[in-house]
Amino acid sequence: MVNSIPWQEKPKEHTEVLWRYSENPIIKRDAIPTSNSIFNSAVVPFNKGFAGVFRCDNKAVQMNIFAGFSSDGINWDIEHRPINFKEGNTNMIASDYKYDPRVTFIEDRYWITWCNGYHGPTIGIGYTFDFKEFYQCENAFLPFNRNGVLFTEKINGKFAMLSRPSDNGHTPFGDIYVSYSPDMKYWGEHRCVMKVAPFTESAWQCTKIGAGSAPIRIKEGWLIFYHGVINTCNGFRYSMGAAILDTYNPEIVKYRTKPYLLSPQTNYECMGDVPNVVFPCASLHSHEEDKVAIYYGAADTVVGLVFGRLSEIVEFTKNNSL
Amino acid sequence: MVNSIPWQEKPKEHTEVLWRYSENPIIKRDAIPTSNSIFNSAVVPFNKGFAGVFRCDNKAVQMNIFAGFSSDGINWDIEHRPINFKEGNTNMIASDYKYDPRVTFIEDRYWITWCNGYHGPTIGIGYTFDFKEFYQCENAFLPFNRNGVLFTEKINGKFAMLSRPSDNGHTPFGDIYVSYSPDMKYWGEHRCVMKVAPFTESAWQCTKIGAGSAPIRIKEGWLIFYHGVINTCNGFRYSMGAAILDTYNPEIVKYRTKPYLLSPQTNYECMGDVPNVVFPCASLHSHEEDKVAIYYGAADTVVGLVFGRLSEIVEFTKNNSL
Amino acid sequence: MVNSIPWQEKPKEHTEVLWRYSENPIIKRDAIPTSNSIFNSAVVPFNKGFAGVFRCDNKAVQMNIFAGFSSDGINWDIEHRPINFKEGNTNMIASDYKYDPRVTFIEDRYWITWCNGYHGPTIGIGYTFDFKEFYQCENAFLPFNRNGVLFTEKINGKFAMLSRPSDNGHTPFGDIYVSYSPDMKYWGEHRCVMKVAPFTESAWQCTKIGAGSAPIRIKEGWLIFYHGVINTCNGFRYSMGAAILDTYNPEIVKYRTKPYLLSPQTNYECMGDVPNVVFPCASLHSHEEDKVAIYYGAADTVVGLVFGRLSEIVEFTKNNSL
Amino acid sequence: MVNSIPWQEKPKEHTEVLWRYSENPIIKRDAIPTSNSIFNSAVVPFNKGFAGVFRCDNKAVQMNIFAGFSSDGINWDIEHRPINFKEGNTNMIASDYKYDPRVTFIEDRYWITWCNGYHGPTIGIGYTFDFKEFYQCENAFLPFNRNGVLFTEKINGKFAMLSRPSDNGHTPFGDIYVSYSPDMKYWGEHRCVMKVAPFTESAWQCTKIGAGSAPIRIKEGWLIFYHGVINTCNGFRYSMGAAILDTYNPEIVKYRTKPYLLSPQTNYECMGDVPNVVFPCASLHSHEEDKVAIYYGAADTVVGLVFGRLSEIVEFTKNNSL
Amino acid sequence: MVNSIPWQEKPKEHTEVLWRYSENPIIKRDAIPTSNSIFNSAVVPFNKGFAGVFRCDNKAVQMNIFAGFSSDGINWDIEHRPINFKEGNTNMIASDYKYDPRVTFIEDRYWITWCNGYHGPTIGIGYTFDFKEFYQCENAFLPFNRNGVLFTEKINGKFAMLSRPSDNGHTPFGDIYVSYSPDMKYWGEHRCVMKVAPFTESAWQCTKIGAGSAPIRIKEGWLIFYHGVINTCNGFRYSMGAAILDTYNPEIVKYRTKPYLLSPQTNYECMGDVPNVVFPCASLHSHEEDKVAIYYGAADTVVGLVFGRLSEIVEFTKNNSL
Amino acid sequence: MVNSIPWQEKPKEHTEVLWRYSENPIIKRDAIPTSNSIFNSAVVPFNKGFAGVFRCDNKAVQMNIFAGFSSDGINWDIEHRPINFKEGNTNMIASDYKYDPRVTFIEDRYWITWCNGYHGPTIGIGYTFDFKEFYQCENAFLPFNRNGVLFTEKINGKFAMLSRPSDNGHTPFGDIYVSYSPDMKYWGEHRCVMKVAPFTESAWQCTKIGAGSAPIRIKEGWLIFYHGVINTCNGFRYSMGAAILDTYNPEIVKYRTKPYLLSPQTNYECMGDVPNVVFPCASLHSHEEDKVAIYYGAADTVVGLVFGRLSEIVEFTKNNSL
């Protein structure tokens, strides 16, 4: 029997769709001895509990990803050494750095995607069966790319991945695309999915957007949580919204929240290495219990948790669509 | 009989000219159900209490202005729907967005000015007699402009307005000008009033400045509160100063504070959607009681209140002039 | 009897709507002793010949405007001293610099508009009856503005002016607006007329556009020549197009050339103080003879002349509209 | 029997490896009625003569590609209407613009690659058998990319393409990568081939580089001509060099010219819509006659031709390698 | 007898090399009546206690330096008036502003270096025997320079100074150099000491670095504390590291911390006039007691204190070298 | 007997103070086999003729300096290999690149200064007695600096050098300073000499200025030729002016031309690797004959020569002073 996903009931006075875990942040910046910060990390159900891949920047501020385990999804044991990949479908597994991992179970294994340093940021791909041995595959794309997120099922017989073409700096633009692959090695059929919103319609997502957690299959299609960025006179502010993509043609956006679902408002979201960031990278959900728990990086420093009812989120997304 | 303006005596140990209200912020970011933030707002005496026009950005971060009412100037009831303007002296009342309102009573009505989205930011003008029905007039200027503030009386028979010519982004420059109009429709006689200060003389106001609350008629001329901006390596910081303009030729600056009167120092001023902002937009005063209460946006998120003695402020401005 | 406008028949092999004068440039950079360059200048019929206002930058590269006279519109005598303005409808005639003049005859006098340095560029206004005595009026707008061009008749009883709001540098944006004035002193009713074109539809005018010569009254409304700018990886390139505005509501664009009418292609347009610039500022026309001669600055260094048939230009503008 | 490639003997006094055709430019900017400029174009042997795909920007400065034919490679008949693509291996053949084509014959057909506007620049792919009917395939990559150039043979059983990941503006960086595809639809195995050179070692190629003409199979591997860019205080300057890549692992650079082979020096290279550009896109060669004729865009305005001896170029590249 | 340096034992659970003083910040922003902020300041043992030179920005945000005294190194009396320099080895003691002082005792007197405003920032030099009378010398270098720090002994018979060449704004680059002088008037023999670290190896110091406190003579050479900066999408973040330079050739870096020793993590380091800054300017140490106390500016607003064991720091620096 | 300096009488119709040599450019871009361009070079009388140090960028666009000789100052033999420096007053003669040399004879030898690549541009110093053997000294300053020019005599017993502090890119600012040295090793007493001119007073020199040829001792003090830069929307334009500095206090500017003396106007000045550049680096003069011949780089590609009468230049400078 599998453990339940982390949960806390909505506070009485709370009127928003999502509510934060009262003990946030669940992972502190120094949760392992070498870490400067732990954030933008991904978790999945694993065995009777949960496993995850964590972005831990060390005190030299080098970025790498680490495996971790938890029985309740809240208290985590993170390995003290980064994941050591073996050769998967390629022997070219060069990597200057790894960050912002996502984890997706497809068919028989856990696929990990991350931002991989190969002459600049691009999308790295790897897989594991057990979170002990990890295999690295061909990078999905040419540089420069970030926020590669796999769908949890093949679509029309092919693997499908969301990503956000970028440049080689603090990219001031960015839209979400979907690409397909017959074999996790060669990618094509690139389609634009969602662009930034006009400033006058939804300013929190007017500078760039990027996919967050792995899409959740719902009746209406695919539910995704994504981040949106506004460029203020004091830097970028990262908030979170939701969208529903078409089941078989995920390049079709059926609904997309005009208001944000979550924006940086607490101390641990507004203060840290990069102030004013909430950045979703993973979620756990139960259709039966109508629950979702979203993991997000806060201020590029720690990991927070926010809860919601799937049905309410879907309803809200449909009723408040851009 | 009119209600008194909000007031709190200066704390004993306090040595500055202005002191913050102990219960700041008086208006929280979520004071109305749809709001992401409420700040940079304007109030005036109205009937036996007070009325105001509030900038409420919704959770799509769309900017609009809302009417509100209060009996004590501290506890406010803000309408849940934005102001719906009717046609005033024009039928061209297009508006992509409205923000940073000011309210000025002149002769027979309450004039509202705001930053109006018409192919970029410019100065919108409207009026109301009762804060129920609102009429929108011609925009005062071509884009790009911000911080339009009307004088409370005609000067030499004409309406007079301060404003700050800008560009279409996070403008990195900006000085205060005055313009005149015989009819609130056509504007001219544009004069430069105050420029940014040299970095070596008063760095807090060396990047851009803009008028804040409606000028207060005093013996020496017009007392204005204005914001000044310094460009740090971590973004813009907004502080507040005061100046005294000549009564009949307000393009003549008689005094202007070299030190700031208020700078971002508290949690609610230093943390929020745009950290390190204090931005005055309105004040209530009583010459008899020698009191002024200044309303200011804090961190582009909430509204704060700060108190002072008119006589002390004038004295300080004269004695610490640039 | 008035002299004919300058003219040269279209070369046989020429297939474009406009053709250059074979002896271009008609005014060399050193046409007066102190000049570094003479360009972006305006001419009108005057007495039996022509008069003009010329932008002559001196060898300190200070910008000022000079009167000039010609019997044939091609050979010009330009005064060696800049225009010395007297006080017109104001005593505030401060001017750090003057450039890019236009001249328009309305009712009883010749109005001159130019880019006037008053705390940055804005639109200066003056008039003359005889090109000997000149009177300066209130600046039309707050800074920052450029390319103010008056209509040759009042529209709905008011003076009307095209202009392009700008910033205080090498403005990388810019659209054309129209504003109205009852008295040449106060201006209002600002309307957006034409915005830059999308890059994919008409790239030569995708960065900024600005009015050129005074509008010509035609059956279909007002014919204007304007400049458009594209930002290449080696700087701005200025080309010229035409548009037809509605007679009584010139904010309505009826037609606008998608292709340019003239782009920098000759040595004197591609080489000079600012390479790759053609910049129209004036035209002479004869409805009877179906002729127009357009004066344009070339490479910010000299003045060129280009000819066309009014009927062909109108036809082309209608048939090749954006 | 096939026509000879264009040729002219090296002038006596000439000491460089390459020499320009004396009648350059061979294609003028207005070679077709609608064109503003014709440059950055590709040619191949076809039937008894030559065919090509030409970038013709029209006078709205819209970018598109056109087929053309020539019996001698110098005098070209270019179609007056752009290529109209039918659906190839996809029905998604959206294209906001097309520019900088290359043509490569592989096995049974002519493949065309170009910079294709799909939410920004990426690499478009199409093919033709006869230069009459054209079929468009899936874009090779996600945006943003430019300068996609196919190898003339499959490498290790797969199609191979050079390209240069970019951003969405006047990209100030850029290196050359190779990618592989089993089917011209899905692409992977992305490898970095060549990066910009250090400023102190070879400044003409220190800002960005991009593949030019289709690689030529030689004994030592693949000979490529590529462009390199330096960012001067007056904009980008584009020059041309050569490199030799390994036959079966083209990501290995065996030699690469430290000096340029050609830089902008003539009037038609230094003056035009974008001054100081030479940009190779195609070459014709004869191993038997030891000749190569390289077609290059000049000043983003016209097409030039430059000649060389294959053996000398290879020798020079080996002896002057970075 | 001299007072002990400030000290507090390391908290039990603490695993880092350095630990903060529990009562931080030791100097508040308003410690003198006119101050907006007090930070980036320097202290030395003096008589039986300590003296210092403090950067106090006043409320006009003018930067100047002030003397101060303390018996315990924690509680400071700072003069209310800035230091008034007399002429030292020059009569050119112009200074638009003074900030970021360091103090170094060499041979017979206390030398003060600071960032001196002379047509932009450069390195000012002065000395005092008693912290009452101060003498200003020639600026060490041409503008633009910051962070000049003198060695506590002559090296090879000459004065030696670390500094960081800069530009005239928020410099986005910066390496540490050493220069020598026979006489504190003429400087030469400029050598590069340490450059920024590669982003992938030690990102916290990848944008710019600058010397902090005066070098401490240890067995291995000179121990220095320096600041390093990373450019995040929300501005610069300043952290602190250590390095060991060669005794007689300080341009040779023997060890240099790859991880930071201290980064902004507390409220007073993350919130203030410039968020996310720790900036060391001075230290007190006792070889006998194996103690060091480092003074650092926090958030450009206040002064903090952090403690460590010299031996541990040296060990850590050797074991974690870049 | 010494050869006369190069000379050509002023053309009859010429009204300017300076006139170009009719056979300009005197040195072509390919005057030596490896050169891409030869410009910004320096000459002095030597033996019975002239010697010089030339900036020759090779075809890898690497910058280095070369010796050359001429009997008439017009026809030059430039060595085919760059100058090979031996150790002078230091063994640190590292140099990533060398460019923009100046040559000054002081007392017993020829001193060469140039822009030397040592972790960015700074001022390199060397000397020769015979233009065969060259010795390199300590760099004068910390990076970043350019345009170091020595006075031809010691001033108050010390060597004196003009220079322009810069940054590490296409510096958008720059003023001229003077520094002193007792020994050509240690430098100090840095004084600001001349700053850029206000845009409204002399725009050609409003962005940056830098010393050109070695100062000429005249009755009124030191006559210098310098370059001034304006930032146009199509890049930097470099012109030339003159100034007269005080004999014993050269930081005092007695006169400075408000108009330029020479600006880019000819084909070889307006077209080339960097269009629109005239850049003086050396001059030959004869007080007896009242002649000066100024050598200047044109378009960063070739060397030009311009003549003038010393007396006229001095007169003009005094009468047209800023």
Side-chain angles (χ1 to χ4, degrees), chain D:
Chain D
M1 206 210 87
V2 176
N3 282 352
S4 300
I5 70 165
W7 190 251
Q8 209 173 38
E9 288 303 323
K10 188 193 281 204
K12 289 235 171 58
E13 76 290 353
H14 195 81
T15 57
E16 306 298 315
V17 175
L18 300 184
W19 59 97
R20 289 172 179 84
Y21 179 51
S22 61
E23 306 306 310
N24 266 356
I26 60 162
I27 303 178
K28 304 285 189 305
R29 64 187 306 165
D30 53 0
I32 64 171
T34 56
S35 62
N36 164 66
S37 49
I38 305 180
F39 58 108
N40 301 0
S41 299
V43 306
V44 279
F46 176 69
N47 290 344
K48 294 194 177 163
F50 305 94
V53 178
F54 295 84
R55 170 178 178 177
C56 304
D57 292 5
N58 68 15
K59 291 187 179 68
V61 191
Q62 291 175 298
M63 306 174 291
N64 215 328
I65 57 178
F66 294 67
F69 302 90
S70 172
S71 58
D72 60 4
I74 290 179
N75 298 287
W76 287 89
D77 289 317
I78 301 174
E79 304 282 345
H80 289 198
R81 300 176 61 89
I83 292 171
N84 179 23
F85 284 95
K86 300 175 180 173
E87 294 179 1
N89 67 10
T90 180
N91 57 9
M92 205 293 289
I93 58 170
S95 178
D96 288 331
Y97 47 77
K98 298 184 179 75
Y99 65 79
D100 292 358
R102 272 76 164 189
V103 182
T104 312
F105 184 81
I106 314 176
E107 295 179 347
D108 63 345
R109 72 193 73 181
Y110 301 91
W111 291 92
I112 300 132
T113 52
W114 67 87
C115 186
N116 193 42
Y118 175 72
H119 303 280
T122 186
I123 304 303
I125 303 180
Y127 60 85
T128 184
F129 294 93
D130 55 9
F131 285 91
K132 286 185 190 147
E133 298 212 312
F134 292 84
Y135 298 87
Q136 186 171 342
C137 300
E138 280 288 331
N139 291 326
F141 309 117
L142 283 163
F144 305 99
N145 206 315
R146 292 182 177 104
N147 298 307
V149 179
L150 286 165
F151 283 79
T152 53
E153 302 169 16
K154 284 186 177 174
I155 296 178
N156 304 320
K158 305 204 192 72
F159 293 101
M161 192 196 291
L162 300 171
S163 75
R164 195 200 60 198
S166 305
D167 67 12
N168 61 357
H170 294 306
T171 315
F173 58 85
D175 302 324
I176 299 175
Y177 289 73
V178 65
S179 305
Y180 297 91
S181 171
D183 54 9
M184 278 285 184
K185 187 161 188 179
Y186 300 99
W187 292 84
E189 292 174 295
H190 313 286
R191 299 291 181 274
C192 188
V193 177
M194 280 170 41
K195 312 200 82 159
V196 293
F199 174 77
T200 52
E201 289 182 43
S202 187
W204 66 269
Q205 54 182 319
C206 73
T207 298
K208 54 180 173 175
I209 55 175
S213 49
I216 298 173
R217 190 74 169 74
I218 57 171
K219 181 164 51 71
E220 291 85 349
W222 296 98
L223 174 67
I224 65 164
F225 299 109
Y226 68 99
H227 68 261
V229 179
I230 182 173
N231 183 19
T232 79
C233 67
N234 278 356
F236 287 165
R237 185 168 76 241
Y238 285 73
S239 303
M240 181 180 105
I244 299 172
L245 311 181
D246 182 78
T247 311
Y248 302 111
N249 294 292
E251 51 269 35
I252 299 171
V253 179
K254 298 173 71 172
Y255 308 99
R256 171 184 178 186
T257 51
K258 186 168 162 170
Y260 58 75
L261 287 180
L262 190 76
S263 86
Q265 304 201 0
T266 66
N267 270 32
Y268 55 89
E269 293 160 350
C270 293
M271 210 164 69
D273 276 5
V274 182
N276 285 359
V277 177
V278 298
F279 193 95
C281 282
S283 66
L284 298 171
H285 66 277
S286 161
H287 284 299
E288 297 70 25
E289 301 181 84
D290 192 25
K291 292 176 179 174
V292 67
I294 306 168
Y295 292 77
Y296 66 98
D300 276 20
T301 306
V302 295
V303 176
L305 193 51
V306 68
F307 304 110
R309 293 285 177 189
L310 276 175
S311 60
E312 277 189 49
I313 293 168
V314 170
E315 205 58 26
F316 182 86
T317 303
K318 288 159 103 167
N319 291 340
N320 293 276
S321 190
L322 191 61

Side-chain angles (χ1 to χ4, degrees), chain C residues 6 44 82 92 97 115-116 140 180 187 189 205 222 249 269 283 285 289 302-303 308:
Chain C
V44 279
M92 205 292 288
Y97 47 77
C115 186
N116 192 42
Y180 297 89
W187 292 83
E189 291 174 296
Q205 53 181 322
W222 295 99
N249 293 292
E269 291 160 349
S283 67
H285 67 277
E289 301 180 85
V302 294
V303 176

